PDB file of all heavy atoms in Angstrom:
ATOM      1  N   LEU A   1       0.824  -1.206   0.000  1.00 96.00           N
ATOM      2  CA  LEU A   1       0.000   0.000   0.000  1.00 96.00           C
ATOM      3  C   LEU A   1       0.862   1.262   0.000  1.00 96.00           C
ATOM      4  O   LEU A   1       0.500   2.256  -0.637  1.00 96.00           O
ATOM      5  CB  LEU A   1      -0.948  -0.006   1.196  1.00 96.00           C
ATOM      6  CG  LEU A   1      -2.068  -1.049   1.128  1.00 96.00           C
ATOM      7  CD1 LEU A   1      -2.851  -1.086   2.429  1.00 96.00           C
ATOM      8  CD2 LEU A   1      -2.995  -0.771  -0.037  1.00 96.00           C
ATOM      9  N   LEU A   2       1.984   1.226   0.705  1.00 94.00           N
ATOM     10  CA  LEU A   2       2.891   2.373   0.690  1.00 94.00           C
ATOM     11  C   LEU A   2       3.421   2.619  -0.715  1.00 94.00           C
ATOM     12  O   LEU A   2       3.564   3.756  -1.153  1.00 94.00           O
ATOM     13  CB  LEU A   2       4.063   2.136   1.655  1.00 94.00           C
ATOM     14  CG  LEU A   2       5.071   3.278   1.779  1.00 94.00           C
ATOM     15  CD1 LEU A   2       4.410   4.507   2.398  1.00 94.00           C
ATOM     16  CD2 LEU A   2       6.262   2.839   2.618  1.00 94.00           C
ATOM     17  N   ARG A   3       3.654   1.552  -1.420  1.00 93.00           N
ATOM     18  CA  ARG A   3       4.209   1.657  -2.781  1.00 93.00           C
ATOM     19  C   ARG A   3       3.156   2.100  -3.797  1.00 93.00           C
ATOM     20  O   ARG A   3       3.420   2.920  -4.653  1.00 93.00           O
ATOM     21  CB  ARG A   3       4.808   0.299  -3.179  1.00 93.00           C
ATOM     22  CG  ARG A   3       5.218   0.156  -4.622  1.00 93.00           C
ATOM     23  CD  ARG A   3       6.429   1.034  -4.951  1.00 93.00           C
ATOM     24  NE  ARG A   3       6.868   0.832  -6.314  1.00 93.00           N
ATOM     25  CZ  ARG A   3       6.512   1.601  -7.330  1.00 93.00           C
ATOM     26  NH1 ARG A   3       5.701   2.606  -7.146  1.00 93.00           N
ATOM     27  NH2 ARG A   3       6.971   1.364  -8.539  1.00 93.00           N
ATOM     28  N   TRP A   4       1.946   1.533  -3.727  1.00 94.00           N
ATOM     29  CA  TRP A   4       0.979   1.722  -4.808  1.00 94.00           C
ATOM     30  C   TRP A   4      -0.274   2.519  -4.447  1.00 94.00           C
ATOM     31  O   TRP A   4      -1.152   2.667  -5.282  1.00 94.00           O
ATOM     32  CB  TRP A   4       0.565   0.361  -5.363  1.00 94.00           C
ATOM     33  CG  TRP A   4       1.678  -0.292  -6.121  1.00 94.00           C
ATOM     34  CD1 TRP A   4       2.301   0.177  -7.243  1.00 94.00           C
ATOM     35  CD2 TRP A   4       2.301  -1.529  -5.820  1.00 94.00           C
ATOM     36  NE1 TRP A   4       3.278  -0.696  -7.648  1.00 94.00           N
ATOM     37  CE2 TRP A   4       3.293  -1.758  -6.792  1.00 94.00           C
ATOM     38  CE3 TRP A   4       2.127  -2.490  -4.817  1.00 94.00           C
ATOM     39  CZ2 TRP A   4       4.106  -2.879  -6.787  1.00 94.00           C
ATOM     40  CZ3 TRP A   4       2.936  -3.604  -4.816  1.00 94.00           C
ATOM     41  CH2 TRP A   4       3.914  -3.793  -5.793  1.00 94.00           C
ATOM     42  N   SER A   5      -0.397   2.995  -3.244  1.00 93.00           N
ATOM     43  CA  SER A   5      -1.602   3.728  -2.872  1.00 93.00           C
ATOM     44  C   SER A   5      -1.279   5.194  -2.596  1.00 93.00           C
ATOM     45  O   SER A   5      -0.222   5.514  -2.041  1.00 93.00           O
ATOM     46  CB  SER A   5      -2.231   3.102  -1.619  1.00 93.00           C
ATOM     47  OG  SER A   5      -3.354   3.855  -1.207  1.00 93.00           O
ATOM     48  N   ALA A   6      -2.210   6.050  -2.959  1.00 93.00           N
ATOM     49  CA  ALA A   6      -2.043   7.477  -2.677  1.00 93.00           C
ATOM     50  C   ALA A   6      -2.292   7.772  -1.199  1.00 93.00           C
ATOM     51  O   ALA A   6      -1.762   8.739  -0.657  1.00 93.00           O
ATOM     52  CB  ALA A   6      -3.001   8.295  -3.534  1.00 93.00           C
ATOM     53  N   ARG A   7      -3.107   6.942  -0.548  1.00 96.00           N
ATOM     54  CA  ARG A   7      -3.420   7.113   0.875  1.00 96.00           C
ATOM     55  C   ARG A   7      -3.198   5.781   1.597  1.00 96.00           C
ATOM     56  O   ARG A   7      -4.153   5.086   1.957  1.00 96.00           O
ATOM     57  CB  ARG A   7      -4.861   7.569   1.037  1.00 96.00           C
ATOM     58  CG  ARG A   7      -5.128   8.920   0.393  1.00 96.00           C
ATOM     59  CD  ARG A   7      -6.555   9.309   0.553  1.00 96.00           C
ATOM     60  NE  ARG A   7      -7.424   8.233   0.053  1.00 96.00           N
ATOM     61  CZ  ARG A   7      -8.577   8.424  -0.528  1.00 96.00           C
ATOM     62  NH1 ARG A   7      -9.025   9.625  -0.675  1.00 96.00           N
ATOM     63  NH2 ARG A   7      -9.293   7.415  -0.951  1.00 96.00           N
ATOM     64  N   PRO A   8      -1.943   5.382   1.833  1.00 94.00           N
ATOM     65  CA  PRO A   8      -1.659   4.058   2.376  1.00 94.00           C
ATOM     66  C   PRO A   8      -2.213   3.825   3.780  1.00 94.00           C
ATOM     67  O   PRO A   8      -2.693   2.724   4.068  1.00 94.00           O
ATOM     68  CB  PRO A   8      -0.138   3.965   2.358  1.00 94.00           C
ATOM     69  CG  PRO A   8       0.354   5.361   2.250  1.00 94.00           C
ATOM     70  CD  PRO A   8      -0.716   6.132   1.563  1.00 94.00           C
ATOM     71  N   ALA A   9      -2.188   4.813   4.649  1.00 94.00           N
ATOM     72  CA  ALA A   9      -2.672   4.610   6.020  1.00 94.00           C
ATOM     73  C   ALA A   9      -4.177   4.331   6.035  1.00 94.00           C
ATOM     74  O   ALA A   9      -4.651   3.419   6.723  1.00 94.00           O
ATOM     75  CB  ALA A   9      -2.347   5.827   6.884  1.00 94.00           C
ATOM     76  N   GLU A  10      -4.915   5.106   5.259  1.00 96.00           N
ATOM     77  CA  GLU A  10      -6.369   4.911   5.189  1.00 96.00           C
ATOM     78  C   GLU A  10      -6.704   3.553   4.565  1.00 96.00           C
ATOM     79  O   GLU A  10      -7.569   2.818   5.060  1.00 96.00           O
ATOM     80  CB  GLU A  10      -7.008   6.026   4.373  1.00 96.00           C
ATOM     81  CG  GLU A  10      -8.509   5.929   4.280  1.00 96.00           C
ATOM     82  CD  GLU A  10      -9.108   7.052   3.439  1.00 96.00           C
ATOM     83  OE1 GLU A  10      -8.451   8.091   3.227  1.00 96.00           O
ATOM     84  OE2 GLU A  10     -10.253   6.869   2.980  1.00 96.00           O
ATOM     85  N   ARG A  11      -6.019   3.206   3.501  1.00 97.00           N
ATOM     86  CA  ARG A  11      -6.257   1.912   2.845  1.00 97.00           C
ATOM     87  C   ARG A  11      -5.888   0.746   3.757  1.00 97.00           C
ATOM     88  O   ARG A  11      -6.567  -0.275   3.781  1.00 97.00           O
ATOM     89  CB  ARG A  11      -5.461   1.811   1.543  1.00 97.00           C
ATOM     90  CG  ARG A  11      -5.847   2.818   0.520  1.00 97.00           C
ATOM     91  CD  ARG A  11      -7.167   2.471  -0.120  1.00 97.00           C
ATOM     92  NE  ARG A  11      -7.445   3.421  -1.176  1.00 97.00           N
ATOM     93  CZ  ARG A  11      -8.610   4.021  -1.331  1.00 97.00           C
ATOM     94  NH1 ARG A  11      -9.604   3.742  -0.526  1.00 97.00           N
ATOM     95  NH2 ARG A  11      -8.790   4.875  -2.303  1.00 97.00           N
ATOM     96  N   PHE A  12      -4.806   0.893   4.522  1.00 96.00           N
ATOM     97  CA  PHE A  12      -4.413  -0.176   5.439  1.00 96.00           C
ATOM     98  C   PHE A  12      -5.476  -0.378   6.515  1.00 96.00           C
ATOM     99  O   PHE A  12      -5.813  -1.507   6.865  1.00 96.00           O
ATOM    100  CB  PHE A  12      -3.053   0.107   6.094  1.00 96.00           C
ATOM    101  CG  PHE A  12      -2.584  -1.020   6.962  1.00 96.00           C
ATOM    102  CD1 PHE A  12      -1.940  -2.107   6.406  1.00 96.00           C
ATOM    103  CD2 PHE A  12      -2.805  -1.016   8.328  1.00 96.00           C
ATOM    104  CE1 PHE A  12      -1.525  -3.168   7.185  1.00 96.00           C
ATOM    105  CE2 PHE A  12      -2.397  -2.070   9.119  1.00 96.00           C
ATOM    106  CZ  PHE A  12      -1.752  -3.147   8.546  1.00 96.00           C
ATOM    107  N   MET A  13      -5.999   0.730   7.046  1.00 97.00           N
ATOM    108  CA  MET A  13      -7.032   0.623   8.079  1.00 97.00           C
ATOM    109  C   MET A  13      -8.257  -0.113   7.545  1.00 97.00           C
ATOM    110  O   MET A  13      -8.764  -1.027   8.188  1.00 97.00           O
ATOM    111  CB  MET A  13      -7.422   2.023   8.578  1.00 97.00           C
ATOM    112  CG  MET A  13      -8.242   1.994   9.840  1.00 97.00           C
ATOM    113  SD  MET A  13     -10.006   2.391   9.743  1.00 97.00           S
ATOM    114  CE  MET A  13     -10.201   3.523   8.462  1.00 97.00           C
ATOM    115  N   TRP A  14      -8.707   0.256   6.347  1.00 97.00           N
ATOM    116  CA  TRP A  14      -9.875  -0.409   5.776  1.00 97.00           C
ATOM    117  C   TRP A  14      -9.585  -1.876   5.446  1.00 97.00           C
ATOM    118  O   TRP A  14     -10.441  -2.745   5.621  1.00 97.00           O
ATOM    119  CB  TRP A  14     -10.361   0.329   4.530  1.00 97.00           C
ATOM    120  CG  TRP A  14     -11.160   1.544   4.904  1.00 97.00           C
ATOM    121  CD1 TRP A  14     -10.789   2.838   4.746  1.00 97.00           C
ATOM    122  CD2 TRP A  14     -12.441   1.564   5.536  1.00 97.00           C
ATOM    123  NE1 TRP A  14     -11.770   3.671   5.241  1.00 97.00           N
ATOM    124  CE2 TRP A  14     -12.804   2.906   5.735  1.00 97.00           C
ATOM    125  CE3 TRP A  14     -13.321   0.572   5.964  1.00 97.00           C
ATOM    126  CZ2 TRP A  14     -13.989   3.295   6.322  1.00 97.00           C
ATOM    127  CZ3 TRP A  14     -14.518   0.964   6.553  1.00 97.00           C
ATOM    128  CH2 TRP A  14     -14.834   2.306   6.726  1.00 97.00           C
ATOM    129  N   THR A  15      -8.379  -2.166   5.002  1.00 96.00           N
ATOM    130  CA  THR A  15      -8.001  -3.552   4.716  1.00 96.00           C
ATOM    131  C   THR A  15      -7.982  -4.373   5.991  1.00 96.00           C
ATOM    132  O   THR A  15      -8.503  -5.497   6.032  1.00 96.00           O
ATOM    133  CB  THR A  15      -6.618  -3.599   4.032  1.00 96.00           C
ATOM    134  OG1 THR A  15      -6.674  -2.829   2.832  1.00 96.00           O
ATOM    135  CG2 THR A  15      -6.201  -5.014   3.709  1.00 96.00           C
ATOM    136  N   ALA A  16      -7.397  -3.828   7.051  1.00 94.00           N
ATOM    137  CA  ALA A  16      -7.332  -4.550   8.332  1.00 94.00           C
ATOM    138  C   ALA A  16      -8.719  -4.789   8.908  1.00 94.00           C
ATOM    139  O   ALA A  16      -9.022  -5.895   9.383  1.00 94.00           O
ATOM    140  CB  ALA A  16      -6.468  -3.766   9.319  1.00 94.00           C
ATOM    141  N   VAL A  17      -9.577  -3.788   8.859  1.00 97.00           N
ATOM    142  CA  VAL A  17     -10.945  -3.948   9.367  1.00 97.00           C
ATOM    143  C   VAL A  17     -11.701  -4.991   8.544  1.00 97.00           C
ATOM    144  O   VAL A  17     -12.391  -5.856   9.098  1.00 97.00           O
ATOM    145  CB  VAL A  17     -11.691  -2.589   9.371  1.00 97.00           C
ATOM    146  CG1 VAL A  17     -13.178  -2.771   9.623  1.00 97.00           C
ATOM    147  CG2 VAL A  17     -11.083  -1.666  10.420  1.00 97.00           C
ATOM    148  N   SER A  18     -11.557  -4.939   7.234  1.00 96.00           N
ATOM    149  CA  SER A  18     -12.242  -5.901   6.360  1.00 96.00           C
ATOM    150  C   SER A  18     -11.765  -7.325   6.612  1.00 96.00           C
ATOM    151  O   SER A  18     -12.572  -8.258   6.718  1.00 96.00           O
ATOM    152  CB  SER A  18     -12.020  -5.546   4.887  1.00 96.00           C
ATOM    153  OG  SER A  18     -12.514  -4.275   4.615  1.00 96.00           O
ATOM    154  N   LEU A  19     -10.455  -7.522   6.713  1.00 93.00           N
ATOM    155  CA  LEU A  19      -9.928  -8.868   6.954  1.00 93.00           C
ATOM    156  C   LEU A  19     -10.320  -9.386   8.332  1.00 93.00           C
ATOM    157  O   LEU A  19     -10.596 -10.575   8.501  1.00 93.00           O
ATOM    158  CB  LEU A  19      -8.405  -8.880   6.778  1.00 93.00           C
ATOM    159  CG  LEU A  19      -7.911  -8.686   5.351  1.00 93.00           C
ATOM    160  CD1 LEU A  19      -6.398  -8.561   5.324  1.00 93.00           C
ATOM    161  CD2 LEU A  19      -8.384  -9.817   4.449  1.00 93.00           C
ATOM    162  N   THR A  20     -10.385  -8.493   9.323  1.00 91.00           N
ATOM    163  CA  THR A  20     -10.843  -8.898  10.653  1.00 91.00           C
ATOM    164  C   THR A  20     -12.305  -9.327  10.600  1.00 91.00           C
ATOM    165  O   THR A  20     -12.679 -10.352  11.179  1.00 91.00           O
ATOM    166  CB  THR A  20     -10.651  -7.753  11.666  1.00 91.00           C
ATOM    167  OG1 THR A  20      -9.268  -7.408  11.703  1.00 91.00           O
ATOM    168  CG2 THR A  20     -11.116  -8.157  13.050  1.00 91.00           C
ATOM    169  N   ALA A  21     -13.129  -8.572   9.912  1.00 93.00           N
ATOM    170  CA  ALA A  21     -14.548  -8.931   9.781  1.00 93.00           C
ATOM    171  C   ALA A  21     -14.710 -10.275   9.078  1.00 93.00           C
ATOM    172  O   ALA A  21     -15.509 -11.119   9.502  1.00 93.00           O
ATOM    173  CB  ALA A  21     -15.297  -7.840   9.029  1.00 93.00           C
ATOM    174  N   ILE A  22     -13.932 -10.486   8.021  1.00 94.00           N
ATOM    175  CA  ILE A  22     -14.006 -11.773   7.306  1.00 94.00           C
ATOM    176  C   ILE A  22     -13.581 -12.918   8.211  1.00 94.00           C
ATOM    177  O   ILE A  22     -14.164 -14.005   8.171  1.00 94.00           O
ATOM    178  CB  ILE A  22     -13.140 -11.709   6.021  1.00 94.00           C
ATOM    179  CG1 ILE A  22     -13.791 -10.774   5.004  1.00 94.00           C
ATOM    180  CG2 ILE A  22     -12.930 -13.093   5.429  1.00 94.00           C
ATOM    181  CD1 ILE A  22     -12.895 -10.435   3.824  1.00 94.00           C
ATOM    182  N   SER A  23     -12.588 -12.692   9.047  1.00 89.00           N
ATOM    183  CA  SER A  23     -12.115 -13.764   9.935  1.00 89.00           C
ATOM    184  C   SER A  23     -13.156 -14.132  10.993  1.00 89.00           C
ATOM    185  O   SER A  23     -13.121 -15.233  11.539  1.00 89.00           O
ATOM    186  CB  SER A  23     -10.812 -13.365  10.617  1.00 89.00           C
ATOM    187  OG  SER A  23     -11.036 -12.426  11.652  1.00 89.00           O
ATOM    188  N   LEU A  24     -14.072 -13.228  11.288  1.00 89.00           N
ATOM    189  CA  LEU A  24     -15.106 -13.501  12.292  1.00 89.00           C
ATOM    190  C   LEU A  24     -16.325 -14.206  11.716  1.00 89.00           C
ATOM    191  O   LEU A  24     -17.148 -14.720  12.467  1.00 89.00           O
ATOM    192  CB  LEU A  24     -15.540 -12.195  12.963  1.00 89.00           C
ATOM    193  CG  LEU A  24     -14.461 -11.476  13.765  1.00 89.00           C
ATOM    194  CD1 LEU A  24     -14.986 -10.137  14.260  1.00 89.00           C
ATOM    195  CD2 LEU A  24     -13.962 -12.320  14.912  1.00 89.00           C
ATOM    196  N   VAL A  25     -16.460 -14.249  10.393  1.00 89.00           N
ATOM    197  CA  VAL A  25     -17.637 -14.841   9.755  1.00 89.00           C
ATOM    198  C   VAL A  25     -17.890 -16.284  10.203  1.00 89.00           C
ATOM    199  O   VAL A  25     -19.015 -16.620  10.562  1.00 89.00           O
ATOM    200  CB  VAL A  25     -17.562 -14.724   8.217  1.00 89.00           C
ATOM    201  CG1 VAL A  25     -18.609 -15.578   7.531  1.00 89.00           C
ATOM    202  CG2 VAL A  25     -17.709 -13.277   7.811  1.00 89.00           C
ATOM    203  N   PRO A  26     -16.895 -17.178  10.219  1.00 85.00           N
ATOM    204  CA  PRO A  26     -17.190 -18.557  10.644  1.00 85.00           C
ATOM    205  C   PRO A  26     -17.732 -18.626  12.075  1.00 85.00           C
ATOM    206  O   PRO A  26     -18.608 -19.436  12.372  1.00 85.00           O
ATOM    207  CB  PRO A  26     -15.840 -19.271  10.544  1.00 85.00           C
ATOM    208  CG  PRO A  26     -15.056 -18.479   9.585  1.00 85.00           C
ATOM    209  CD  PRO A  26     -15.511 -17.057   9.757  1.00 85.00           C
ATOM    210  N   HIS A  27     -17.243 -17.761  12.969  1.00 79.00           N
ATOM    211  CA  HIS A  27     -17.699 -17.794  14.354  1.00 79.00           C
ATOM    212  C   HIS A  27     -19.120 -17.268  14.494  1.00 79.00           C
ATOM    213  O   HIS A  27     -19.909 -17.791  15.265  1.00 79.00           O
ATOM    214  CB  HIS A  27     -16.751 -16.983  15.238  1.00 79.00           C
ATOM    215  CG  HIS A  27     -15.334 -17.433  15.138  1.00 79.00           C
ATOM    216  ND1 HIS A  27     -14.914 -18.639  15.646  1.00 79.00           N
ATOM    217  CD2 HIS A  27     -14.252 -16.866  14.565  1.00 79.00           C
ATOM    218  CE1 HIS A  27     -13.626 -18.786  15.399  1.00 79.00           C
ATOM    219  NE2 HIS A  27     -13.197 -17.726  14.739  1.00 79.00           N
ATOM    220  N   VAL A  28     -19.439 -16.244  13.745  1.00 79.00           N
ATOM    221  CA  VAL A  28     -20.769 -15.650  13.816  1.00 79.00           C
ATOM    222  C   VAL A  28     -21.789 -16.545  13.121  1.00 79.00           C
ATOM    223  O   VAL A  28     -22.932 -16.653  13.557  1.00 79.00           O
ATOM    224  CB  VAL A  28     -20.755 -14.237  13.180  1.00 79.00           C
ATOM    225  CG1 VAL A  28     -22.149 -13.668  13.077  1.00 79.00           C
ATOM    226  CG2 VAL A  28     -19.859 -13.315  13.977  1.00 79.00           C
ATOM    227  N   SER A  29     -21.370 -17.235  12.061  1.00 78.00           N
ATOM    228  CA  SER A  29     -22.308 -18.040  11.302  1.00 78.00           C
ATOM    229  C   SER A  29     -22.671 -19.353  11.999  1.00 78.00           C
ATOM    230  O   SER A  29     -23.657 -19.979  11.627  1.00 78.00           O
ATOM    231  CB  SER A  29     -21.759 -18.332   9.908  1.00 78.00           C
ATOM    232  OG  SER A  29     -20.613 -19.147   9.993  1.00 78.00           O
TER     233      SER A  29
END
């Protein structure tokens, strides 16, 4: 993201939140 994104910090935050949410799907389901 640092290399290819104009806003790496914002993109990293959204990526981390999204991956965390995906990791919780099996437990919630």
Side-chain angles (χ1 to χ4, degrees):
L1 290 173
L2 182 65
R3 170 69 177 96
W4 290 299
S5 177
R7 298 179 306 214
E10 182 181 341
R11 297 285 184 227
F12 184 83
M13 193 253 329
W14 281 110
T15 302
V17 169
S18 300
L19 291 174
T20 301
I22 290 169
S23 75
L24 296 175
V25 168
H27 304 290
V28 173
S29 66

